[in-house]
Amino acid sequence: MLAIAKIRQLVRELNNRIEVGEKEMEAILILSKNLLSPPVIAFGTGMAAVWSRSDLKFPEQVYQALTIYLLLAIGFKGGGALAQASPGELVLPLLATLLLGALIPAAVFFGTRRLLGLGTADAAAMGAHYGSVSAVTFMACLAFLDRQTVAYEAYLPAVMAAMEIPAIFVALLLARRFCKDVTVSLGESIREVMTGKSLVLLMCGLAAGAVAGQDGRELMHPFLVAPFFGVLMLFLLEMGLVAGEKLKDARKIGLPLLLFALAAPILQGAFGLLLGWLIGLSQGGAVVFGVLAASASYIAAPAAVRVSLPEANPAYYVTASLGITFPFNLVFGIPLIFQLSQYLY
């Protein structure tokens, strides 16, 4: 009997090891699949072009055109989903968005002041960037989930648009509370965010998609839906060039801030994933929610910070968000959050 019990224990241990090994292999396969995806390859090519001193360069007009297209396209897709969603479906996600938009910038603000020794203006700038969202990381996450054939709630672009404002608002409130040198009014700062191109284009796309009707959406499909991933690949090639330049400046921000820029997306992403699970999102929806929480803005937030906190040092907030956190999320963060979701679902 003792021998049989030992054999059973050995079999259980072997099964556990096999299960752990299978999970590790699955994680490696997901990561390698993401690394070999066209958008990530394009992004890596852009960074390599900078490091090799290539003359590859996008004209500013092309970059602006790609940005306008992608924001309109993703807003249009979300607007179509909003037209078909009931108000009850949106209540919890929008409340969770407001919660994230308040907690993350506050945590980053107080954390960077206490642990990294940043001044009030720099800490508020970091809070605004890491509490707000990156539309490009969001798009890359959708592309990743589509390749994994994992479904997600189609109204999430509206959630992304809603997440732009609260974080910047909270960060600027904290700056005004703890910094006496802030001279720009809060109203002017919020106006800067509300009239920024990212939010204007997203809202335009959402409105157009919501009122277009089925015939209108089918009419726009060849322009705003079918070419999306090809345009995203071109845009990420340009973003690779920009991030490569910023990454060269990483040594200027110091090791503690560098570690923060790597740790923040992991912690924020895990929190966002858990929150998405708690409010009942699908696995894909919770992954998107986690990625939104993990991402850092480098379009809307810099515009607001530049107006409201001119004394904040861009070498900190731009290099950390665009040069470090953005490429980390694109290559490693999205697969990591997806892998963590496997334990919840």
Side-chain angles (χ1 to χ4, degrees), residues 3 88 91 96 101 103 111 129 138 144 194 197-198 253 255 275 316 326:
V91 172
L103 290 180
H129 283 70
F138 174 79
F144 173 87
M194 294 294 291
K197 68 176 181 181
S198 297
I253 70 173
L255 181 60
L275 187 58
Y316 293 152
F326 174 67

Side-chain angles (χ1 to χ4, degrees), residues 8 32 82 88 101 123 130 161 168 218 259 263 335:
R8 287 176 176 172
S32 62
L82 276 180
Y130 280 85
I168 297 173
E218 289 179 1
L259 294 176

Side-chain angles (χ1 to χ4, degrees), residues 113-308:
R113 287 184 81 203
R114 184 176 181 83
L115 300 176
L116 304 181
L118 293 186
T120 299
D122 289 324
M126 294 291 288
H129 283 70
Y130 280 85
S132 190
V133 296
S134 161
V136 182
T137 308
F138 174 79
M139 297 171 200
C141 179
L142 298 188
F144 173 87
L145 291 174
D146 288 340
R147 290 194 303 274
Q148 300 292 329
T149 64
V150 175
Y152 49 86
E153 286 77 2
Y155 57 72
L156 287 170
V159 173
M160 182 194 70
M163 205 177 284
E164 284 275 22
I165 303 302
I168 297 173
F169 182 80
V170 169
L172 295 180
L173 281 179
L174 289 169
R176 292 179 64 81
R177 167 65 178 80
F178 290 93
C179 183
K180 298 178 180 179
D181 297 331
V182 176
T183 57
V184 179
S185 69
L186 184 63
E188 185 176 346
S189 303
I190 298 303
R191 186 199 63 79
E192 178 75 15
V193 177
M194 294 294 291
T195 58
K197 68 176 181 181
S198 297
L199 198 62
V200 169
L201 289 168
L202 277 172
M203 297 308 295
C204 174
L206 282 167
V211 303
Q214 187 61 33
D215 292 340
R217 286 191 286 273
E218 289 179 1
L219 187 65
M220 296 302 294
H221 186 277
F223 176 69
L224 284 179
V225 180
F228 179 84
F229 291 109
V231 176
L232 178 61
M233 184 176 177
L234 288 173
F235 185 77
L236 285 176
L237 177 60
E238 159 67 9
M239 291 308 301
L241 295 170
V242 177
E245 289 289 347
K246 292 298 178 185
L247 197 57
K248 291 194 300 185
D249 297 332
R251 62 185 181 275
K252 298 179 182 178
I253 70 173
L255 181 60
L257 200 55
L258 174 64
L259 294 176
F260 164 82
L262 294 173
I266 298 174
L267 297 175
Q268 293 175 194
F271 179 69
L273 174 67
L274 180 62
L275 187 58
W277 175 70
L278 288 173
I279 64 175
L281 293 178
S282 66
Q283 181 181 2
V287 170
V288 174
F289 211 71
V291 169
L292 284 174
S295 65
S297 173
Y298 47 83
I299 297 176
V305 167
R306 190 166 58 245
V307 170
S308 306

